[in-house]
Amino acid sequence: MPESPTSSKLEETISDLPLRSIPVVRIEPRKPHIEVKQKEWDGFLRICFNRMNKTLGSLFRQKNVISMLEKNYNTVQALKLAQEGSLKETDAKVDFSNFGDFDYDDQGMEVDDDGVDDDEMDVEDGGTDEVQSEFKEKVLGVLKEGDFEEKMSSKLTLQEFLYLLSLFNKAGIHFS
């Protein structure tokens, strides 16, 4: 196979290139190890880095984030009440003497017998928007307390993330 003038030129160019060293990166766990619940830390960072170039205030104003945090908040509060209630039940005595006096004929239910068949049920709005608005203010208040509302996640340090997570936890807001 005859040698083309371009192939010899290419070989010269390649041989003239200096040898490059390849950097090796070594990843080691932090010492001392950071004591944080991994599931909660993961949930917190997923929210913070949902959109990297948005402020934390705009990320935590999203309806789906607020509703998820409110659901977690209500679950934690219910667990605390149940735990406190179980402690009180061990100390309390139940009076069963009135259970035998139940009148099965009069159960206290009224029947609306106006002859109209109601297929639809009237449901009152429980003010869920107001409750969510109050919870939203609580979340934004935590961000304002730590002066994080106008900061971007990509600009925060590890210590700032840990501090913000601790502020949320002090307010009873959890991410798992």
Side-chain angles (χ1 to χ4, degrees):
M1 183 173 202
E3 214 176 288
S4 70
T6 57
S7 67
S8 64
K9 186 74 170 167
L10 179 64
E11 288 173 0
E12 285 178 22
T13 307
I14 290 175
S15 65
D16 290 342
L17 290 175
L19 293 176
R20 297 180 187 214
S21 62
I22 300 171
V24 177
V25 177
R26 187 172 172 181
I27 300 174
E28 293 182 5
R30 289 190 177 271
K31 295 178 185 172
H33 181 70
I34 300 168
E35 294 298 322
V36 66
K37 293 179 184 174
Q38 291 300 313
K39 230 177 175 182
E40 184 162 18
W41 181 248
D42 181 57
F44 173 64
L45 290 181
R46 283 177 187 264
I47 293 171
C48 291
F49 287 100
N50 187 18
R51 302 280 179 151
M52 194 123 75
N53 291 325
K54 287 199 172 243
T55 63
L56 289 171
S58 66
L59 290 170
F60 281 93
R61 278 187 185 91
Q62 295 176 2
K63 284 184 181 181
N64 60 343
V65 172
I66 293 292
S67 63
M68 189 246 338
L69 291 177
E70 186 174 15
K71 179 182 164 193
N72 289 352
Y73 179 79
N74 291 337
T75 302
V76 169
Q77 296 305 315
L79 288 173
K80 283 182 181 178
L81 287 175
Q83 197 172 39
E84 290 172 5
S86 67
L87 293 175
K88 289 179 183 176
E89 285 178 12
T90 58
D91 296 335
K93 300 211 180 212
V94 180
D95 182 17
F96 292 103
S97 61
N98 291 333
F99 285 114
D101 298 336
F102 184 71
D103 185 9
Y104 289 98
D105 294 330
D106 182 25
Q107 295 182 8
M109 294 182 68
E110 295 179 21
V111 177
D112 185 17
D113 218 7
D114 58 0
V116 178
D117 188 21
D118 291 335
D119 288 337
E120 294 184 21
M121 190 165 105
D122 293 331
V123 178
E124 292 182 24
D125 185 15
T128 56
D129 290 339
E130 292 175 14
V131 172
Q132 190 171 17
S133 177
E134 289 175 15
F135 187 77
K136 184 177 183 178
E137 291 305 316
K138 182 174 187 152
V139 170
L140 294 177
V142 170
L143 290 172
K144 288 176 186 173
E145 177 185 342
D147 199 31
F148 288 104
E149 190 176 21
E150 296 301 320
K151 292 185 178 179
M152 292 185 192
S153 298
S154 59
K155 308 297 182 207
L156 296 179
T157 65
L158 176 63
Q159 287 74 25
E160 289 173 316
F161 279 117
L162 289 170
Y163 177 62
L164 180 57
L165 181 61
S166 72
L167 288 177
F168 275 117
N169 286 340
K170 285 178 189 173
I173 300 169
H174 295 274
F175 295 86
S176 62

